[in-house]
Amino acid sequence: MRKLLPLCCWRPWLLLLHCGFQVHGAVARSQAHPGFEVLASASYYWPLENVDGIHELQDTTGDIVEGKVSKGVYFKEDKGVTFLHYGSYKASCISNPAQCGPEGVTFSFFWKTQGEQSRPTPSAYGGQVISNGFKVCSSGGKGSVELYARENSMTWAATFSPPGPYWTHVLFTWKSKEGLKVYVNGTLSTSDPSGKVSHAYGEPSVNLVIGSEQDQTKGYENGAFDEFIIWERALTPDEIAMYFTAAVGKHVFLSSTPPSLFMTPTANTMPPTNAYHPIITNLTEERKNFQSAGVVLNYLQNVSLSLPNKSLSEETGLNLTKTFLKTVGEVLRLPSWTAVSEDSAVVLGLIETVDAVLGHISSNLQASEPQVTIAGSSSMADFSVARLLPKTMNSSHYRFPAHGQSYIEIPQEAFHSQAWTTVVGLLYHSMHYYLSNIPPANTKIAGAAHCKSCLLSAASHLISLEVSPTPRLSQNLSGSPLVTVHLRHHLTQRQYIEATNESNRVFLYCAFLDFSSGEGIWSNQGCALTEGNLSYSTCCCTHLTNFAILMQVVPLELALGHQVALSSISYIGCSLSVLCLAVTLVTFAVLSSVSTIRNQRYHIHANLSLAVLVAQVLLLVSFQFEPGTTPCRVLAVLLHYFFLSAFAWMLVEGLHLYSMVIKVFGSEDSKRGYYYGMGWGFPLLICIISIVFAMDSYGASKNCWLSLGNGAIWAFVAPALFIIVVNIGILIAVTRVISQISADNYKIHGDPSAFKLTAKAVAVLLPILGTSWVFGVLAVNSQAVVFQYMFAILNSLQGFFIFLFHCLLNSEVRAAFKHKTKVWSLTSSSARHANVKPFSSDIMNGTRPGTGSTKLGPWDKSSHSAHRVDLSTV
C-alpha cells in the first residue's frame, strides 16, 4: 500500500468515514434515465459505498468504474476511518486541469459533514480531497473549491455553504475561458470567472488523495463522501441537472436527508402540484430538532438552493413563506445563535438566504389574476410577495408595508415594464439587533471613515424591497423618480444614552447591503438622508435592496491647540500641587507637637493632602503608559481609589465644618474613627465592587482611567457628585453664618473690613470642599472650552491652594511655627527653663497676648450671645 501524502500545509478539512451506519444496496433503477448516460461518459468513477437514495451506474463493462478493490484503488482502515488513495495520472486532468484543453474538466461528488469535533488521540483523519491541480475543503463554516493551472500559475477559488449533516451534491467545472463554476444540488451556486496569479500551490506529487493525517490537537469537521466522478470536459448546466436527478432518483429521498434537499424530478416526468409540500413538512419537523445554529443555517441555505423550479399556488406560497420565516425565527432563539451572530458574515448570509427563498416564491407564484399578493406577519418579519401587471396599479405609489411608520415607497412611473412584475418586501422585526459593531473600514460609507474607531450599528429595523424587472429610477439624487425609505428608529438603551450624551456627536446614514461583490457590504452610495431626528429618518435612493439606518457616535474632541494647552496646564499644575502638598504634610508633621496643630481639624487636612498628593502623582505617572496594558489597568484602579478617597476626605472636611460651626455635637475624639472609616474605608468598598463587576473597564479606553462607554465611570462620578452637592450645601450654610456675624460686627463697630471675612472664608473653604469639581460637570463638550480651562486650572492647583490657605497663610500655623522656632532657639542657647509666653492663633481678632479688644470678636454671633460659636475652622 502506498504511503498517504502528508498535507501539513492546509488546515483540517473533511473526514471520510467508513460509514458506521447500516448500508443497504441501492435498489436497481432503470439505466434509461438520460442522467446515467451523462455518468457513463465520465473519465473516472468511484462509487465508493452503497448509500440509500444515491443511485449508482450499474457498470457491466468495467471501463470507468475504478473505485473498487482490484481496480487499482487502495484503502487504509484505521479506527473506522477510510482513506482513498490511488496512483499517478500524469497525463490526466487530475494532475493538471490545463491538460484537459479547451474542453475543461468536471469534478462531482456527494458530501455531508457532521460538525466539528476535537481529536484528543493521535490517528489518521481525513481532511480534504486534493490533487496537484485542485482542492475541495471545508473549514470555518465555509466550503471552498480551488483549482490550479501550473502553466500560467493561475488559481481559481470559490466558496459556498458546506453541506451540513445531509448528503449534498457538489459539482464544479472549469474551462480556461470560463473559469470555475460550482454547482450545489444541480444548481449554480458560485463562480470565479477570472482567477488570480499564485506561485505557491499544491502538492509536489500528482496523486489524488482523499483523507490525510492531521494535527490531532485541533478541531475537525466529521464528514463523508460518495460517488466521486471526474469528466475530462466541462458538463453543461443541462447535463449537470440530468445527472443530479438521476443520482437522487424519482421522488426517492436519502435515509438521512430531508426531502427538501433532493426535490428535482427526473427529466421525463412532471412533478405533482404539491412538490413544495414535502419541503414545508420537513421544515416543520426539523424545527423540533434544532440545536446547533451553524448546522441549521447550512440546512436553510441548502433548502434555498434546492427549491424546485415549479409554479406554486397562492395558498402554497403563503404556507411556505410563513413556515420558512418561522424556521428562521427559531434559529434566532437558539442559545448558540448569540455566539454565531457575532460573525457579521453569518448574519448577512442568513439575510441573503431569506431573500433567495422569497425571490424564488415570487418568481414561481401562479398569477390567475392581474395582481396576486400574499402578505402576512411572523415573529421574524412582516412580508409581502406580489406578482402583478404594473398597468393594473391604482395608486400613485407602491408602498410596503401598507401601514406602519417604517416603509418603502416607489412611484408608479418607475414601473416601466408592461410584463409581469414580481415584488418582494420584508420588514425584519429583530435582525437589527445583530447588525452592530460594524467597523467603518468594512463599509463603503465615506463619512464614517473619518472616525475609524467609532463603530456603526443599526438604529432602525432592516427593511427590504426587491422588484423584477428592475424599476426605472433616476440615477441622480436630484432627479426623479426616486425610492423613498422612511424608517422609525429603535435604539437600544446603550445607543440612546450615547446619542443623548452632549459630549458625543451622532451621525445617521441611510445605508443598504451591497451583495454585488458576493459579500454583504454596507454602503450609502445612491442614498441621501432628506430629513429626520433621533426618532426617525427619511431617505431618497436611486435603487432597491435591504435598507437600514446606521448610527455612528463620535466623541467630540477639542482642537489640537486646546488639547496641548490643557495638557500643559495639567502637567504644570499637578507638579506644583505635588510639591506644595509635600511641604504641607512635612509642616503638619513638624508642628504636630503644638497643641493648636494637634487637633482634629489638622488631622483631616493632613489626610486630605495625602490623598490628593498620591492621586496627582499617580495621574502624572499614568500619562506614560499605553491603554490596555497591565500597568495602565493597575494605575486606573489606584487612581480610582485615591481620587475617591480625596473626595471622601473633602466630605469629612464638610461634615467636620458643619459640626463645629452650625451644629456643635460630640467630642472630636469620638468622631475620629468615623472620619477615618469614611475617608479610607468607603472608597475601598466602592472600588472592590467595581473591580468585581467591571474589571475590564479599567485602563481600556484612551487613558488609564475608567471606561466611559459601558457606564463604569459612574462608580466614580456618582459618589463625587453626591459629595459635591453635600459640600455646596454646607458651604452655603457656613457662608450665611459668617455673613451674619460680619453684618452684626459692622453694625456695632462700623468696621468695613468685617465684610472681607466672608470672602476670605469662601476662598479658604473652596479647596478643601472640592467645589471646584463643579466646573468638571459643566465642561461636558468642546463647546464648553472655558469651563474646561477653569476646571483644569482649579483642579490641578488644588494642592497649591490647600498649601496656600491652610499652611502658608494660616494664622495658627504661622503662630505655631514662630512658637516652635522660639523653642528651638531657646533650646540651642541652653535656656531650657526660660518662660515662653502663650500665643494666640487668632490673628483675625485683631488682639495680642495680654491685651484686650474693644471690638466684637468675629467668632461671637452677637454681643449678647449666650454661647460662643467657634469659627477657627475656617
Side-chain angles (χ1 to χ4, degrees):
M1 183 178 293
R2 302 188 183 187
K3 184 179 179 181
L4 290 175
L5 297 179
L7 298 172
C8 57
C9 59
W10 280 285
R11 294 289 182 186
W13 312 109
L14 285 178
L15 175 66
L16 177 60
L17 291 179
H18 184 272
C19 302
F21 50 82
Q22 181 66 35
V23 178
H24 305 282
V27 178
R29 292 282 172 181
S30 171
Q31 302 299 304
H33 194 293
F36 287 113
E37 295 179 9
V38 176
L39 175 55
S41 67
S43 303
Y44 306 97
Y45 173 38
W46 295 269
L48 301 181
E49 303 292 347
N50 291 328
V51 178
D52 272 351
I54 299 179
H55 299 280
E56 304 173 355
L57 176 65
Q58 303 302 310
D59 178 65
T60 56
T61 63
D63 291 336
I64 65 168
V65 178
E66 303 198 13
K68 296 179 181 178
V69 178
S70 80
K71 283 289 186 176
V73 177
Y74 298 88
F75 292 92
K76 178 182 176 181
E77 301 290 341
D78 190 357
K79 297 184 180 180
V81 182
T82 299
F83 296 94
L84 169 65
H85 176 83
Y86 65 99
S88 298
Y89 288 81
K90 294 182 181 295
S92 74
C93 299
I94 297 176
S95 60
N96 187 355
Q99 292 185 9
C100 297
E103 295 82 9
V105 64
T106 300
F107 299 90
S108 169
F109 51 89
F110 283 84
W111 183 14
K112 72 174 180 178
T113 61
Q114 296 171 344
E116 289 192 359
Q117 298 182 0
S118 175
R119 303 296 182 202
T121 58
S123 184
Y125 289 97
Q128 54 211 353
V129 178
I130 182 168
S131 81
N132 187 254
F134 70 90
K135 177 173 65 176
V136 182
C137 55
S138 174
S139 177
K142 290 184 179 180
S144 66
V145 172
E146 293 183 15
L147 193 136
Y148 180 67
R150 186 168 297 281
E151 280 75 3
N152 53 8
S153 299
M154 289 291 293
T155 300
W156 290 262
T159 60
F160 56 93
S161 177
Y166 312 108
W167 284 108
T168 301
H169 181 237
V170 177
L171 180 147
F172 60 96
T173 65
W174 175 84
K175 280 187 176 182
S176 57
K177 294 184 179 180
E178 296 180 1
L180 178 66
K181 296 180 180 179
V182 180
Y183 294 78
V184 178
N185 292 334
T187 304
L188 180 64
S189 174
T190 183
S191 65
D192 181 5
S194 56
K196 64 179 180 180
V197 177
S198 176
H199 294 287
Y201 186 90
E203 292 292 315
S205 171
V206 296
N207 293 350
L208 174 66
V209 178
I210 302 178
S212 66
E213 296 209 350
Q214 303 290 342
D215 182 355
Q216 66 272 10
T217 62
K218 299 181 179 179
Y220 297 87
E221 285 193 343
N222 243 348
F225 293 109
D226 194 47
E227 296 291 296
F228 198 86
I229 313 168
I230 299 176
W231 287 266
E232 291 186 339
R233 64 184 180 88
L235 297 184
T236 66
D238 288 341
E239 287 178 316
I240 294 170
M242 283 192 292
Y243 166 67
F244 173 68
T245 56
V248 300
K250 177 182 177 181
H251 311 308
V252 176
F253 308 111
L254 283 66
S255 57
S256 61
T257 308
S260 60
L261 291 183
F262 301 121
M263 286 302 303
T264 307
T266 56
N268 57 357
T269 305
M270 292 296 292
T273 57
N274 62 351
Y276 291 90
H277 289 179
I279 302 175
I280 298 171
T281 302
N282 185 258
L283 283 169
T284 305
E285 293 299 321
E286 285 293 326
R287 282 203 305 264
K288 303 173 184 177
N289 304 318
F290 285 169
Q291 292 182 351
S292 170
V295 173
V296 176
L297 292 175
N298 292 335
Y299 163 65
L300 293 177
Q301 188 170 37
N302 282 334
V303 170
S304 71
L305 295 172
S306 307
L307 293 171
N309 191 23
K310 299 300 176 182
S311 63
L312 71 168
S313 65
E314 190 174 340
E315 180 183 358
T316 302
L318 179 60
N319 196 4
L320 178 57
T321 302
K322 286 186 174 181
T323 303
F324 188 83
L325 290 178
K326 186 174 182 180
T327 304
V328 175
E330 293 291 335
V331 176
L332 270 57
R333 284 192 283 270
L334 290 175
S336 57
W337 169 252
T338 303
V340 172
S341 63
E342 292 179 0
D343 184 356
S344 61
V346 173
V347 178
L348 300 182
L350 178 59
I351 294 170
E352 193 173 17
T353 298
V354 174
D355 288 346
V357 171
L358 268 69
H360 178 93
I361 294 172
S362 67
S363 60
N364 288 276
L365 187 64
Q366 289 180 350
S368 56
E369 299 177 2
Q371 182 168 342
V372 177
T373 302
I374 56 174
S377 180
S378 71
S379 60
M380 181 69 188
D382 295 339
F383 63 88
S384 175
V385 179
R387 187 174 175 86
L388 53 87
L389 292 171
K391 62 183 181 181
T392 63
M393 292 178 59
N394 54 8
S395 174
S396 60
H397 290 79
Y398 181 91
R399 167 174 165 157
F400 169 80
H403 306 283
Q405 296 179 321
S406 295
Y407 57 87
I408 298 180
E409 280 187 344
I410 308 176
Q412 185 185 29
E413 58 187 291
F415 293 90
H416 62 92
S417 175
Q418 299 303 313
W420 286 102
T421 300
T422 61
V423 184
V424 178
L426 280 164
L427 177 63
Y428 294 91
H429 296 160
S430 59
M431 192 63 75
H432 61 287
Y433 293 125
Y434 310 106
L435 301 173
S436 59
N437 299 326
I438 305 168
N442 295 348
T443 70
K444 295 181 181 178
I445 303 176
H450 294 155
C451 183
K452 296 182 179 179
S453 61
C454 304
L455 303 181
L456 296 113
S457 58
S460 71
H461 285 157
L462 180 70
I463 192 169
S464 168
L465 193 66
E466 295 286 348
V467 178
S468 181
T470 305
R472 185 176 295 162
L473 297 166
S474 171
Q475 296 306 302
N476 190 334
L477 286 169
S478 60
S480 66
L482 294 172
V483 174
T484 300
V485 183
H486 184 96
L487 291 170
R488 198 75 181 174
H489 297 171
H490 294 269
L491 305 181
T492 63
Q493 184 177 7
R494 178 175 178 177
Q495 285 178 318
Y496 182 79
I497 292 173
E498 291 179 345
T500 54
N501 189 338
E502 293 185 5
S503 62
N504 294 330
R505 187 175 180 184
V506 180
F507 293 90
L508 297 172
Y509 299 100
C510 296
F512 64 92
L513 283 170
D514 183 2
F515 287 101
S516 60
S517 62
E519 298 180 359
I521 298 176
W522 286 103
S523 174
N524 67 340
Q525 298 172 3
C527 284
L529 183 68
T530 56
E531 64 174 303
N533 51 35
L534 204 57
S535 299
Y536 77 96
S537 294
T538 302
C539 313
C540 285
C541 298
T542 61
H543 52 78
L544 289 169
T545 181
N546 298 277
F547 296 96
I549 302 300
L550 296 188
M551 184 174 78
Q552 185 183 40
V553 178
V554 179
L556 291 174
E557 295 184 357
L558 290 171
L560 182 61
H562 288 305
Q563 293 182 29
V564 172
L566 289 170
S567 296
S568 301
I569 291 172
S570 298
Y571 271 110
I572 296 172
C574 287
S575 300
L576 180 60
S577 288
V578 167
L579 177 63
C580 292
L581 288 169
V583 173
T584 301
L585 288 172
V586 171
T587 302
F588 287 167
V590 170
L591 301 180
S592 60
S593 60
V594 180
S595 61
T596 53
I597 305 300
R598 202 166 51 242
N599 62 31
Q600 183 74 7
R601 177 158 45 94
Y602 286 97
H603 275 290
I604 297 172
H605 289 346
N607 279 280
L608 173 60
S609 300
L610 177 62
V612 175
L613 171 65
V614 175
Q616 295 198 344
V617 168
L618 291 173
L619 183 62
L620 290 173
V621 173
S622 70
F623 294 153
Q624 312 304 318
F625 292 95
E626 289 292 328
T629 61
T630 300
C632 184
R633 292 181 182 276
V634 173
L635 281 170
V637 173
L638 293 175
L639 279 169
H640 186 202
Y641 174 69
F642 281 101
F643 269 117
L644 273 182
S645 296
F647 267 99
W649 281 108
M650 293 176 202
L651 178 61
V652 171
E653 291 274 13
L655 295 177
H656 181 72
L657 180 64
Y658 183 83
S659 68
M660 294 294 102
V661 176
I662 308 299
K663 188 175 182 180
V664 181
F665 58 89
S667 65
E668 291 191 357
D669 291 336
S670 66
K671 292 177 286 188
R672 178 171 299 183
Y674 294 108
Y675 288 162
Y676 274 87
M678 185 181 300
W680 298 113
F682 185 64
L684 180 61
L685 178 62
I686 294 177
C687 284
I688 290 174
I689 295 174
S690 179
I691 290 171
V692 170
F693 291 99
M695 183 60 201
D696 292 340
S697 301
Y698 285 94
S701 55
K702 297 181 180 180
N703 45 45
C704 301
W705 186 232
L706 287 163
S707 174
L708 302 177
N710 57 7
I713 188 65
W714 285 99
F716 172 77
V717 172
L721 287 176
F722 171 76
I723 292 170
I724 290 173
V725 171
V726 172
N727 279 355
I728 288 176
I730 292 173
L731 178 63
I732 293 173
V734 171
T735 303
R736 289 181 60 188
V737 171
I738 297 174
S739 299
Q740 184 63 43
I741 292 174
S742 299
D744 292 345
N745 206 17
Y746 177 74
K747 290 178 182 177
I748 297 173
H749 302 285
D751 184 5
S753 64
F755 289 106
K756 297 179 181 179
L757 179 63
T758 302
K760 180 180 178 181
V762 172
V764 170
L765 292 175
L766 281 176
I768 63 172
L769 296 183
T771 49
S772 61
W773 282 74
V774 171
F775 294 108
V777 178
L778 297 175
V780 292
N781 55 44
S782 60
Q783 307 303 318
V785 178
V786 174
F787 292 117
Q788 292 198 32
Y789 276 97
M790 293 179 68
F791 175 67
I793 294 171
L794 296 176
N795 197 48
S796 63
L797 293 176
Q798 185 180 15
F800 169 75
F801 291 131
I802 291 175
F803 166 75
L804 181 66
F805 292 120
H806 297 277
C807 184
L808 186 63
L809 300 181
N810 186 288
S811 58
E812 289 181 345
V813 173
R814 287 191 300 176
F817 186 77
K818 290 179 181 179
H819 173 72
K820 194 73 173 180
T821 303
K822 192 169 185 178
V823 170
W824 289 338
S825 176
L826 292 174
T827 301
S828 61
S829 62
S830 300
R832 296 180 181 276
H833 301 291
N835 293 326
V836 181
K837 294 182 180 180
F839 65 93
S840 171
S841 62
D842 188 4
I843 63 171
M844 295 176 68
N845 282 342
T847 61
R848 300 190 178 196
T851 65
S853 174
T854 59
K855 297 180 182 180
L856 176 65
W859 311 141
D860 291 331
K861 200 167 185 178
S862 70
S863 57
H864 306 290
S865 174
H867 64 278
R868 296 171 60 85
V869 179
D870 180 14
L871 293 183
S872 62
T873 308
V874 298

